[in-house]
Amino acid sequence: GNSVTQMEGPVTLSEEAFLTINCTYTATGYPSLFWYVQYPGEGLQLLLKATKADDKGSNKGFEATYRKETTSFHLEKGSVQVSDSAVYFCALARNAGGTSYGKLTFGQGTILTVHP
Amino acid sequence: ETGVTQSPTHLIKTRGQQVTLRCSSQSGHNTVSWYQQALGQGPQFIFQYYREEENGRGNFPPRFSGLQFPNYSSELNVNALELDDSALYLCASSLVAGATEAFFGQGTRLTVV
């Protein structure tokens, strides 16, 4: 079945440091890949997505590239801010006939804390 | 455009009781999915409703059931509550069943004692 594995956290960084959160996946076919962010006490917000191999998703300074050869979708940001402190989830959704089935499979989440 | 709203935000139930959680989907969205997020874990897919019909189910027992109404709002019902049902329950809506993007509500925190 489908699965997503994220690097274990928590991750603690100083402001303006470089961020990488690793994500690898197992899936049949060619899934769409996502990063969601969850701020304290809130639901999930879509951060970025990529729907096919070699696509790069980007938003708010975050980037991730869909690497089919390594089945990875690592999240990166060049300079983190205190406001980026949150839990980050990597997820996939199976594509069928060009559209996603709609069921998201999530990783376990990575807690990021950024200190001033 | 209104987002996804869930109610209540928190509730406490006793083991063996029944609970109903509610979700209003984003305007124009006809698909609603429910997820269970245990503490420190990623969300787990419970089921999806599309145009009032169940359209896929995860590995949850039958005591987890749902409904979708003509206005596309949805309910999640859990019977015979167990302690392990304590979790954050998230509702997500999407434009159509095959959409690649889902919009989440803030969740309902259920505590079973």
Side-chain angles (χ1 to χ4, degrees), chain B residues 7-72:
Chain B
S7 62
T9 54
H10 298 83
L11 76 166
I12 299 174
K13 289 287 189 179
T14 302
R15 188 171 50 183
Q17 286 187 313
Q18 179 266 343
V19 68
T20 297
L21 311 181
R22 296 179 174 82
C23 172
S24 294
S25 60
Q26 186 158 319
S27 177
H29 289 189
N30 62 19
T31 301
V32 172
S33 301
W34 286 92
Y35 292 82
Q36 180 195 65
Q37 185 180 11
L39 198 61
Q41 302 295 317
Q44 299 290 316
F45 176 75
I46 303 174
F47 43 56
Q48 181 183 86
Y49 278 82
Y50 170 62
R51 292 187 175 180
E52 304 179 56
E53 297 286 333
E54 188 178 288
N55 184 45
R57 187 178 183 93
N59 189 27
F60 281 81
R63 58 189 186 83
F64 285 78
S65 63
L67 282 174
Q68 188 179 32
F69 300 99
N71 66 355
Y72 303 131

Short mmCIF file of all heavy atoms in Angstrom, two decimals, chain B residues 7-72:
data_model
loop_
_atom_site.label_atom_id
_atom_site.label_comp_id
_atom_site.label_asym_id
_atom_site.label_seq_id
_atom_site.Cartn_x
_atom_site.Cartn_y
_atom_site.Cartn_z
N SER B 7 -17.69 21.77 13.99
CA SER B 7 -18.23 21.99 15.33
C SER B 7 -18.52 20.66 16.00
O SER B 7 -18.83 19.67 15.31
CB SER B 7 -19.52 22.83 15.25
OG SER B 7 -20.52 22.14 14.51
N PRO B 8 -18.39 20.60 17.33
CA PRO B 8 -17.80 21.63 18.17
C PRO B 8 -16.27 21.63 18.03
O PRO B 8 -15.72 20.78 17.34
CB PRO B 8 -18.23 21.18 19.57
CG PRO B 8 -18.27 19.69 19.47
CD PRO B 8 -18.76 19.39 18.07
N THR B 9 -15.61 22.55 18.71
CA THR B 9 -14.15 22.57 18.65
C THR B 9 -13.54 21.59 19.64
O THR B 9 -12.48 21.02 19.38
CB THR B 9 -13.61 23.98 18.93
OG1 THR B 9 -14.14 24.43 20.18
CG2 THR B 9 -14.01 24.94 17.83
N HIS B 10 -14.19 21.42 20.76
CA HIS B 10 -13.75 20.46 21.77
C HIS B 10 -14.98 19.78 22.37
O HIS B 10 -16.04 20.39 22.46
CB HIS B 10 -13.02 21.15 22.93
CG HIS B 10 -11.77 21.87 22.54
ND1 HIS B 10 -11.79 23.14 22.02
CD2 HIS B 10 -10.46 21.49 22.60
CE1 HIS B 10 -10.55 23.52 21.76
NE2 HIS B 10 -9.73 22.54 22.10
N LEU B 11 -14.81 18.53 22.76
CA LEU B 11 -15.82 17.89 23.58
C LEU B 11 -15.23 16.70 24.31
O LEU B 11 -14.24 16.11 23.87
CB LEU B 11 -17.06 17.49 22.78
CG LEU B 11 -17.05 16.28 21.86
CD1 LEU B 11 -18.47 15.93 21.48
CD2 LEU B 11 -16.24 16.54 20.63
N ILE B 12 -15.89 16.39 25.42
CA ILE B 12 -15.46 15.26 26.25
C ILE B 12 -16.64 14.30 26.36
O ILE B 12 -17.76 14.71 26.64
CB ILE B 12 -15.04 15.76 27.66
CG1 ILE B 12 -13.87 16.73 27.55
CG2 ILE B 12 -14.66 14.56 28.54
CD1 ILE B 12 -13.49 17.37 28.86
N LYS B 13 -16.35 13.03 26.11
CA LYS B 13 -17.38 11.98 26.17
C LYS B 13 -16.87 10.85 27.05
O LYS B 13 -15.67 10.69 27.26
CB LYS B 13 -17.68 11.45 24.77
CG LYS B 13 -18.44 12.42 23.88
CD LYS B 13 -19.88 12.53 24.32
CE LYS B 13 -20.70 13.33 23.33
NZ LYS B 13 -22.13 13.41 23.75
N THR B 14 -17.83 10.05 27.50
CA THR B 14 -17.52 8.89 28.32
C THR B 14 -17.46 7.64 27.45
O THR B 14 -18.24 7.52 26.48
CB THR B 14 -18.57 8.73 29.42
OG1 THR B 14 -18.61 9.92 30.20
CG2 THR B 14 -18.24 7.55 30.32
N ARG B 15 -16.58 6.74 27.79
CA ARG B 15 -16.46 5.47 27.07
C ARG B 15 -17.84 4.81 26.94
O ARG B 15 -18.60 4.76 27.91
CB ARG B 15 -15.51 4.54 27.82
CG ARG B 15 -15.14 3.29 27.08
CD ARG B 15 -14.03 2.55 27.80
NE ARG B 15 -14.32 2.39 29.22
CZ ARG B 15 -13.48 1.82 30.08
NH1 ARG B 15 -12.30 1.42 29.69
NH2 ARG B 15 -13.82 1.71 31.34
N GLY B 16 -18.15 4.33 25.74
CA GLY B 16 -19.42 3.69 25.47
C GLY B 16 -20.47 4.62 24.89
O GLY B 16 -21.46 4.15 24.31
N GLN B 17 -20.28 5.93 25.03
CA GLN B 17 -21.24 6.88 24.48
C GLN B 17 -21.09 7.00 22.97
O GLN B 17 -20.19 6.43 22.35
CB GLN B 17 -21.06 8.25 25.13
CG GLN B 17 -21.57 8.36 26.55
CD GLN B 17 -21.51 9.78 27.06
OE1 GLN B 17 -20.51 10.48 26.91
NE2 GLN B 17 -22.60 10.23 27.68
N GLN B 18 -21.99 7.78 22.39
CA GLN B 18 -21.98 8.07 20.97
C GLN B 18 -21.71 9.56 20.77
O GLN B 18 -22.05 10.38 21.62
CB GLN B 18 -23.34 7.68 20.36
CG GLN B 18 -23.48 7.95 18.88
CD GLN B 18 -24.11 9.30 18.58
OE1 GLN B 18 -24.73 9.93 19.43
NE2 GLN B 18 -23.93 9.76 17.34
N VAL B 19 -21.08 9.91 19.64
CA VAL B 19 -20.78 11.31 19.38
C VAL B 19 -21.03 11.63 17.91
O VAL B 19 -20.89 10.76 17.03
CB VAL B 19 -19.31 11.63 19.74
CG1 VAL B 19 -18.32 10.95 18.80
CG2 VAL B 19 -19.06 13.13 19.76
N THR B 20 -21.46 12.86 17.66
CA THR B 20 -21.65 13.35 16.28
C THR B 20 -20.83 14.63 16.10
O THR B 20 -20.97 15.57 16.89
CB THR B 20 -23.13 13.65 16.00
OG1 THR B 20 -23.88 12.43 16.10
CG2 THR B 20 -23.29 14.22 14.59
N LEU B 21 -19.99 14.63 15.09
CA LEU B 21 -19.19 15.79 14.75
C LEU B 21 -19.70 16.34 13.42
O LEU B 21 -20.10 15.57 12.54
CB LEU B 21 -17.71 15.41 14.63
CG LEU B 21 -17.12 14.60 15.78
CD1 LEU B 21 -15.63 14.33 15.52
CD2 LEU B 21 -17.32 15.30 17.10
N ARG B 22 -19.63 17.66 13.27
CA ARG B 22 -20.22 18.31 12.09
C ARG B 22 -19.19 19.11 11.31
O ARG B 22 -18.23 19.64 11.88
CB ARG B 22 -21.39 19.18 12.51
CG ARG B 22 -22.54 18.38 13.10
CD ARG B 22 -23.70 19.23 13.55
NE ARG B 22 -24.82 18.38 13.97
CZ ARG B 22 -24.93 17.81 15.17
NH1 ARG B 22 -24.00 18.00 16.08
NH2 ARG B 22 -25.97 17.06 15.45
N CYS B 23 -19.43 19.20 10.01
CA CYS B 23 -18.51 19.88 9.12
C CYS B 23 -19.29 20.58 8.02
O CYS B 23 -20.15 19.97 7.39
CB CYS B 23 -17.54 18.87 8.50
SG CYS B 23 -16.49 19.53 7.20
N SER B 24 -18.98 21.85 7.80
CA SER B 24 -19.52 22.59 6.67
C SER B 24 -18.40 22.76 5.66
O SER B 24 -17.35 23.31 5.99
CB SER B 24 -20.05 23.95 7.10
OG SER B 24 -21.16 23.81 7.95
N SER B 25 -18.66 22.28 4.46
CA SER B 25 -17.60 22.33 3.44
C SER B 25 -17.45 23.73 2.88
O SER B 25 -18.32 24.59 3.04
CB SER B 25 -17.90 21.34 2.32
OG SER B 25 -19.13 21.65 1.69
N GLN B 26 -16.32 23.95 2.23
CA GLN B 26 -16.08 25.24 1.59
C GLN B 26 -17.09 25.43 0.46
O GLN B 26 -17.49 24.47 -0.20
CB GLN B 26 -14.65 25.27 1.05
CG GLN B 26 -14.23 26.60 0.49
CD GLN B 26 -12.73 26.77 0.46
OE1 GLN B 26 -12.04 26.39 1.39
NE2 GLN B 26 -12.22 27.31 -0.63
N SER B 27 -17.49 26.67 0.27
CA SER B 27 -18.49 26.99 -0.74
C SER B 27 -18.09 26.43 -2.11
O SER B 27 -16.96 26.62 -2.57
CB SER B 27 -18.63 28.51 -0.83
OG SER B 27 -19.55 28.87 -1.84
N GLY B 28 -19.03 25.70 -2.74
CA GLY B 28 -18.77 25.15 -4.07
C GLY B 28 -18.14 23.78 -4.06
O GLY B 28 -18.01 23.16 -5.12
N HIS B 29 -17.74 23.27 -2.88
CA HIS B 29 -17.11 21.95 -2.80
C HIS B 29 -18.16 20.88 -2.54
O HIS B 29 -18.99 21.02 -1.64
CB HIS B 29 -16.07 21.92 -1.68
CG HIS B 29 -14.85 22.71 -1.98
ND1 HIS B 29 -13.72 22.66 -1.19
CD2 HIS B 29 -14.56 23.56 -3.00
CE1 HIS B 29 -12.79 23.45 -1.72
NE2 HIS B 29 -13.28 24.01 -2.81
N ASN B 30 -18.11 19.77 -3.32
CA ASN B 30 -19.10 18.72 -3.15
C ASN B 30 -18.54 17.44 -2.51
O ASN B 30 -19.24 16.44 -2.41
CB ASN B 30 -19.77 18.38 -4.50
CG ASN B 30 -18.76 17.84 -5.51
OD1 ASN B 30 -17.67 17.40 -5.16
ND2 ASN B 30 -19.13 17.89 -6.78
N THR B 31 -17.29 17.49 -2.09
CA THR B 31 -16.63 16.30 -1.54
C THR B 31 -16.08 16.62 -0.16
O THR B 31 -15.42 17.65 0.02
CB THR B 31 -15.49 15.84 -2.46
OG1 THR B 31 -16.03 15.55 -3.75
CG2 THR B 31 -14.82 14.60 -1.91
N VAL B 32 -16.36 15.73 0.78
CA VAL B 32 -15.87 15.90 2.15
C VAL B 32 -15.18 14.62 2.58
O VAL B 32 -15.70 13.51 2.37
CB VAL B 32 -17.03 16.21 3.12
CG1 VAL B 32 -16.53 16.17 4.55
CG2 VAL B 32 -17.64 17.57 2.81
N SER B 33 -14.00 14.78 3.18
CA SER B 33 -13.26 13.65 3.73
C SER B 33 -13.04 13.88 5.22
O SER B 33 -12.90 15.03 5.66
CB SER B 33 -11.90 13.51 3.04
OG SER B 33 -12.06 13.31 1.65
N TRP B 34 -13.00 12.80 5.97
CA TRP B 34 -12.75 12.87 7.41
C TRP B 34 -11.46 12.14 7.74
O TRP B 34 -11.17 11.06 7.17
CB TRP B 34 -13.90 12.23 8.18
CG TRP B 34 -15.17 13.06 8.22
CD1 TRP B 34 -16.21 13.00 7.34
CD2 TRP B 34 -15.51 14.04 9.19
NE1 TRP B 34 -17.17 13.90 7.71
CE2 TRP B 34 -16.78 14.55 8.85
CE3 TRP B 34 -14.88 14.55 10.33
CZ2 TRP B 34 -17.43 15.53 9.58
CZ3 TRP B 34 -15.52 15.53 11.07
CH2 TRP B 34 -16.78 16.00 10.70
N TYR B 35 -10.70 12.72 8.68
CA TYR B 35 -9.44 12.15 9.12
C TYR B 35 -9.39 12.15 10.64
O TYR B 35 -9.92 13.06 11.30
CB TYR B 35 -8.26 12.98 8.59
CG TYR B 35 -8.06 12.91 7.10
CD1 TYR B 35 -8.82 13.70 6.24
CD2 TYR B 35 -7.14 12.03 6.54
CE1 TYR B 35 -8.66 13.63 4.87
CE2 TYR B 35 -6.97 11.96 5.15
CZ TYR B 35 -7.74 12.75 4.34
OH TYR B 35 -7.58 12.67 2.98
N GLN B 36 -8.70 11.15 11.17
CA GLN B 36 -8.44 11.07 12.61
C GLN B 36 -6.95 11.32 12.84
O GLN B 36 -6.11 10.65 12.23
CB GLN B 36 -8.82 9.69 13.16
CG GLN B 36 -8.58 9.53 14.65
CD GLN B 36 -8.62 8.07 15.09
OE1 GLN B 36 -7.77 7.28 14.70
NE2 GLN B 36 -9.62 7.73 15.90
N GLN B 37 -6.63 12.27 13.72
CA GLN B 37 -5.23 12.55 14.02
C GLN B 37 -4.99 12.32 15.52
O GLN B 37 -5.36 13.14 16.35
CB GLN B 37 -4.86 13.99 13.64
CG GLN B 37 -3.39 14.29 13.83
CD GLN B 37 -3.03 15.72 13.46
OE1 GLN B 37 -3.87 16.57 13.24
NE2 GLN B 37 -1.73 15.99 13.38
N ALA B 38 -4.37 11.20 15.83
CA ALA B 38 -3.99 10.93 17.21
C ALA B 38 -2.81 11.83 17.59
O ALA B 38 -2.08 12.32 16.73
CB ALA B 38 -3.61 9.46 17.36
N LEU B 39 -2.64 12.02 18.88
CA LEU B 39 -1.60 12.93 19.37
C LEU B 39 -0.23 12.50 18.87
O LEU B 39 0.16 11.33 19.01
CB LEU B 39 -1.64 12.94 20.89
CG LEU B 39 -0.93 14.11 21.57
CD1 LEU B 39 -1.57 15.43 21.17
CD2 LEU B 39 -0.94 13.95 23.08
N GLY B 40 0.48 13.42 18.25
CA GLY B 40 1.83 13.14 17.77
C GLY B 40 1.90 12.32 16.49
O GLY B 40 3.00 11.89 16.10
N GLN B 41 0.78 12.10 15.84
CA GLN B 41 0.74 11.30 14.61
C GLN B 41 0.21 12.12 13.44
O GLN B 41 -0.35 13.20 13.62
CB GLN B 41 -0.17 10.08 14.82
CG GLN B 41 0.24 9.18 15.96
CD GLN B 41 1.58 8.53 15.70
OE1 GLN B 41 1.86 8.06 14.59
NE2 GLN B 41 2.43 8.51 16.71
N GLY B 42 0.39 11.58 12.25
CA GLY B 42 -0.21 12.18 11.07
C GLY B 42 -1.68 11.78 10.97
O GLY B 42 -2.10 10.77 11.55
N PRO B 43 -2.48 12.56 10.27
CA PRO B 43 -3.90 12.21 10.08
C PRO B 43 -4.06 10.88 9.35
O PRO B 43 -3.30 10.56 8.45
CB PRO B 43 -4.43 13.37 9.24
CG PRO B 43 -3.49 14.50 9.48
CD PRO B 43 -2.15 13.86 9.66
N GLN B 44 -5.09 10.13 9.74
CA GLN B 44 -5.44 8.86 9.10
C GLN B 44 -6.81 9.01 8.45
O GLN B 44 -7.76 9.47 9.09
CB GLN B 44 -5.48 7.74 10.14
CG GLN B 44 -4.17 7.49 10.84
CD GLN B 44 -3.12 6.88 9.94
OE1 GLN B 44 -3.41 5.96 9.17
NE2 GLN B 44 -1.91 7.40 9.99
N PHE B 45 -6.91 8.58 7.19
CA PHE B 45 -8.15 8.70 6.43
C PHE B 45 -9.22 7.79 7.00
O PHE B 45 -8.99 6.58 7.16
CB PHE B 45 -7.85 8.33 4.98
CG PHE B 45 -9.03 8.31 4.06
CD1 PHE B 45 -9.60 9.49 3.61
CD2 PHE B 45 -9.56 7.10 3.61
CE1 PHE B 45 -10.67 9.46 2.74
CE2 PHE B 45 -10.63 7.07 2.74
CZ PHE B 45 -11.19 8.26 2.30
N ILE B 46 -10.41 8.38 7.27
CA ILE B 46 -11.53 7.58 7.76
C ILE B 46 -12.44 7.20 6.59
O ILE B 46 -12.65 6.03 6.30
CB ILE B 46 -12.34 8.33 8.84
CG1 ILE B 46 -11.42 8.73 10.00
CG2 ILE B 46 -13.50 7.46 9.34
CD1 ILE B 46 -12.11 9.60 11.05
N PHE B 47 -13.01 8.21 5.93
CA PHE B 47 -13.83 8.00 4.74
C PHE B 47 -14.04 9.31 4.02
O PHE B 47 -13.71 10.39 4.52
CB PHE B 47 -15.18 7.32 5.02
CG PHE B 47 -15.93 7.82 6.23
CD1 PHE B 47 -16.26 9.16 6.37
CD2 PHE B 47 -16.31 6.95 7.22
CE1 PHE B 47 -16.95 9.62 7.47
CE2 PHE B 47 -17.02 7.38 8.33
CZ PHE B 47 -17.34 8.72 8.47
N GLN B 48 -14.60 9.17 2.82
CA GLN B 48 -14.90 10.33 1.98
C GLN B 48 -16.34 10.24 1.50
O GLN B 48 -16.84 9.14 1.22
CB GLN B 48 -13.96 10.36 0.77
CG GLN B 48 -14.17 11.55 -0.16
CD GLN B 48 -13.27 11.49 -1.39
OE1 GLN B 48 -13.60 10.88 -2.39
NE2 GLN B 48 -12.12 12.15 -1.29
N TYR B 49 -16.99 11.38 1.40
CA TYR B 49 -18.35 11.46 0.86
C TYR B 49 -18.35 12.37 -0.36
O TYR B 49 -17.78 13.47 -0.34
CB TYR B 49 -19.34 11.95 1.90
CG TYR B 49 -19.80 10.85 2.81
CD1 TYR B 49 -19.02 10.46 3.89
CD2 TYR B 49 -20.96 10.15 2.54
CE1 TYR B 49 -19.41 9.42 4.70
CE2 TYR B 49 -21.36 9.10 3.35
CZ TYR B 49 -20.58 8.74 4.43
OH TYR B 49 -20.96 7.71 5.22
N TYR B 50 -19.02 11.89 -1.39
CA TYR B 50 -19.14 12.64 -2.64
C TYR B 50 -20.59 12.60 -3.06
O TYR B 50 -21.15 11.51 -3.25
CB TYR B 50 -18.24 12.03 -3.71
CG TYR B 50 -18.45 12.55 -5.11
CD1 TYR B 50 -18.24 13.89 -5.41
CD2 TYR B 50 -18.85 11.70 -6.15
CE1 TYR B 50 -18.42 14.37 -6.71
CE2 TYR B 50 -19.04 12.17 -7.43
CZ TYR B 50 -18.83 13.51 -7.70
OH TYR B 50 -19.01 13.99 -8.97
N ARG B 51 -21.20 13.76 -3.16
CA ARG B 51 -22.62 13.85 -3.55
C ARG B 51 -23.48 12.89 -2.74
O ARG B 51 -24.27 12.11 -3.30
CB ARG B 51 -22.75 13.60 -5.04
CG ARG B 51 -22.14 14.72 -5.87
CD ARG B 51 -22.43 14.56 -7.35
NE ARG B 51 -21.94 15.71 -8.11
CZ ARG B 51 -22.07 15.84 -9.43
NH1 ARG B 51 -22.68 14.90 -10.13
NH2 ARG B 51 -21.59 16.90 -10.04
N GLU B 52 -23.29 12.92 -1.44
CA GLU B 52 -24.12 12.21 -0.45
C GLU B 52 -23.87 10.71 -0.39
O GLU B 52 -24.58 10.00 0.34
CB GLU B 52 -25.61 12.49 -0.68
CG GLU B 52 -25.96 13.98 -0.67
CD GLU B 52 -27.42 14.24 -0.94
OE1 GLU B 52 -28.27 13.69 -0.21
OE2 GLU B 52 -27.73 14.99 -1.90
N GLU B 53 -22.88 10.21 -1.12
CA GLU B 53 -22.57 8.78 -1.09
C GLU B 53 -21.15 8.57 -0.57
O GLU B 53 -20.24 9.37 -0.88
CB GLU B 53 -22.67 8.17 -2.50
CG GLU B 53 -24.05 8.23 -3.13
CD GLU B 53 -25.00 7.24 -2.51
OE1 GLU B 53 -24.55 6.19 -2.00
OE2 GLU B 53 -26.23 7.51 -2.54
N GLU B 54 -20.95 7.49 0.20
CA GLU B 54 -19.60 7.16 0.64
C GLU B 54 -18.75 6.78 -0.58
O GLU B 54 -19.17 5.95 -1.39
CB GLU B 54 -19.62 6.01 1.66
CG GLU B 54 -18.24 5.78 2.29
CD GLU B 54 -18.27 4.67 3.34
OE1 GLU B 54 -18.81 4.89 4.43
OE2 GLU B 54 -17.70 3.60 3.05
N ASN B 55 -17.58 7.36 -0.66
CA ASN B 55 -16.73 7.21 -1.84
C ASN B 55 -15.32 6.80 -1.43
O ASN B 55 -14.35 7.40 -1.83
CB ASN B 55 -16.70 8.55 -2.60
CG ASN B 55 -15.92 8.46 -3.89
OD1 ASN B 55 -16.08 7.51 -4.64
ND2 ASN B 55 -15.06 9.44 -4.15
N GLY B 56 -15.23 5.79 -0.61
CA GLY B 56 -13.92 5.32 -0.16
C GLY B 56 -13.87 5.34 1.35
O GLY B 56 -14.40 6.26 2.00
N ARG B 57 -13.21 4.35 1.92
CA ARG B 57 -13.15 4.20 3.36
C ARG B 57 -11.78 3.69 3.75
O ARG B 57 -11.22 2.82 3.07
CB ARG B 57 -14.23 3.22 3.84
CG ARG B 57 -14.37 3.13 5.33
CD ARG B 57 -15.49 2.17 5.71
NE ARG B 57 -15.65 2.14 7.16
CZ ARG B 57 -16.49 2.91 7.83
NH1 ARG B 57 -17.28 3.75 7.19
NH2 ARG B 57 -16.58 2.84 9.15
N GLY B 58 -11.26 4.19 4.85
CA GLY B 58 -10.00 3.71 5.38
C GLY B 58 -10.21 2.55 6.32
O GLY B 58 -11.30 1.97 6.40
N ASN B 59 -9.20 2.21 7.07
CA ASN B 59 -9.22 1.04 7.93
C ASN B 59 -9.82 1.39 9.30
O ASN B 59 -9.13 1.37 10.33
CB ASN B 59 -7.79 0.50 8.10
CG ASN B 59 -7.78 -0.83 8.80
OD1 ASN B 59 -8.75 -1.58 8.75
ND2 ASN B 59 -6.68 -1.12 9.46
N PHE B 60 -11.09 1.72 9.30
CA PHE B 60 -11.81 2.04 10.53
C PHE B 60 -13.03 1.13 10.66
O PHE B 60 -13.65 0.78 9.66
CB PHE B 60 -12.25 3.52 10.52
CG PHE B 60 -11.13 4.46 10.88
CD1 PHE B 60 -10.18 4.84 9.93
CD2 PHE B 60 -11.00 4.94 12.17
CE1 PHE B 60 -9.14 5.68 10.27
CE2 PHE B 60 -9.97 5.79 12.51
CZ PHE B 60 -9.03 6.16 11.56
N PRO B 61 -13.39 0.75 11.90
CA PRO B 61 -14.52 -0.18 12.09
C PRO B 61 -15.85 0.48 11.74
O PRO B 61 -15.95 1.71 11.66
CB PRO B 61 -14.44 -0.52 13.58
CG PRO B 61 -13.73 0.65 14.19
CD PRO B 61 -12.75 1.12 13.18
N PRO B 62 -16.90 -0.34 11.58
CA PRO B 62 -18.22 0.17 11.18
C PRO B 62 -18.85 1.13 12.18
O PRO B 62 -19.78 1.87 11.82
CB PRO B 62 -19.07 -1.10 11.05
CG PRO B 62 -18.08 -2.18 10.80
CD PRO B 62 -16.86 -1.80 11.58
N ARG B 63 -18.36 1.15 13.44
CA ARG B 63 -18.95 2.09 14.38
C ARG B 63 -18.60 3.54 14.03
O ARG B 63 -19.16 4.47 14.63
CB ARG B 63 -18.53 1.74 15.82
CG ARG B 63 -17.06 1.73 16.07
CD ARG B 63 -16.72 1.16 17.45
NE ARG B 63 -15.30 1.29 17.73
CZ ARG B 63 -14.76 2.38 18.19
NH1 ARG B 63 -15.53 3.43 18.48
NH2 ARG B 63 -13.44 2.46 18.40
N PHE B 64 -17.69 3.72 13.09
CA PHE B 64 -17.45 5.04 12.50
C PHE B 64 -18.32 5.14 11.25
O PHE B 64 -18.15 4.35 10.30
CB PHE B 64 -15.98 5.22 12.09
CG PHE B 64 -15.04 5.45 13.24
CD1 PHE B 64 -14.64 4.37 14.02
CD2 PHE B 64 -14.57 6.71 13.54
CE1 PHE B 64 -13.78 4.58 15.09
CE2 PHE B 64 -13.71 6.92 14.59
CZ PHE B 64 -13.30 5.85 15.38
N SER B 65 -19.27 6.06 11.26
CA SER B 65 -20.15 6.21 10.12
C SER B 65 -20.32 7.68 9.80
O SER B 65 -19.97 8.56 10.61
CB SER B 65 -21.52 5.57 10.39
OG SER B 65 -22.15 6.22 11.47
N GLY B 66 -20.88 7.95 8.63
CA GLY B 66 -21.00 9.34 8.23
C GLY B 66 -22.22 9.60 7.39
O GLY B 66 -22.95 8.67 6.99
N LEU B 67 -22.45 10.87 7.15
CA LEU B 67 -23.53 11.32 6.30
C LEU B 67 -23.06 12.56 5.57
O LEU B 67 -22.24 13.32 6.09
CB LEU B 67 -24.76 11.72 7.13
CG LEU B 67 -25.67 10.65 7.70
CD1 LEU B 67 -26.71 11.28 8.60
CD2 LEU B 67 -26.34 9.88 6.56
N GLN B 68 -23.60 12.74 4.36
CA GLN B 68 -23.43 14.02 3.68
C GLN B 68 -24.80 14.49 3.26
O GLN B 68 -25.61 13.70 2.77
CB GLN B 68 -22.50 13.91 2.48
CG GLN B 68 -22.16 15.28 1.87
CD GLN B 68 -21.22 15.19 0.70
OE1 GLN B 68 -21.24 14.23 -0.05
NE2 GLN B 68 -20.39 16.22 0.52
N PHE B 69 -25.06 15.75 3.43
CA PHE B 69 -26.38 16.33 3.17
C PHE B 69 -26.41 17.01 1.81
O PHE B 69 -25.36 17.27 1.22
CB PHE B 69 -26.73 17.30 4.30
CG PHE B 69 -26.76 16.63 5.65
CD1 PHE B 69 -25.68 16.73 6.51
CD2 PHE B 69 -27.85 15.88 6.05
CE1 PHE B 69 -25.68 16.10 7.73
CE2 PHE B 69 -27.88 15.25 7.27
CZ PHE B 69 -26.78 15.35 8.12
N PRO B 70 -27.62 17.33 1.31
CA PRO B 70 -27.71 17.96 -0.02
C PRO B 70 -26.91 19.25 -0.15
O PRO B 70 -26.52 19.62 -1.26
CB PRO B 70 -29.22 18.21 -0.17
CG PRO B 70 -29.86 17.15 0.65
CD PRO B 70 -28.94 16.96 1.84
N ASN B 71 -26.69 19.96 0.95
CA ASN B 71 -25.86 21.18 0.87
C ASN B 71 -24.37 20.86 1.01
O ASN B 71 -23.55 21.76 1.12
CB ASN B 71 -26.29 22.19 1.94
CG ASN B 71 -26.01 21.69 3.35
OD1 ASN B 71 -25.57 20.56 3.56
ND2 ASN B 71 -26.24 22.56 4.31
N TYR B 72 -24.03 19.56 1.00
CA TYR B 72 -22.67 19.03 1.05
C TYR B 72 -22.01 19.13 2.42
O TYR B 72 -20.85 18.73 2.56
CB TYR B 72 -21.76 19.65 -0.02
CG TYR B 72 -22.31 19.46 -1.42
CD1 TYR B 72 -22.40 20.51 -2.31
CD2 TYR B 72 -22.76 18.21 -1.83
CE1 TYR B 72 -22.92 20.33 -3.59
CE2 TYR B 72 -23.28 18.02 -3.10
CZ TYR B 72 -23.36 19.09 -3.97
OH TYR B 72 -23.87 18.90 -5.23
#
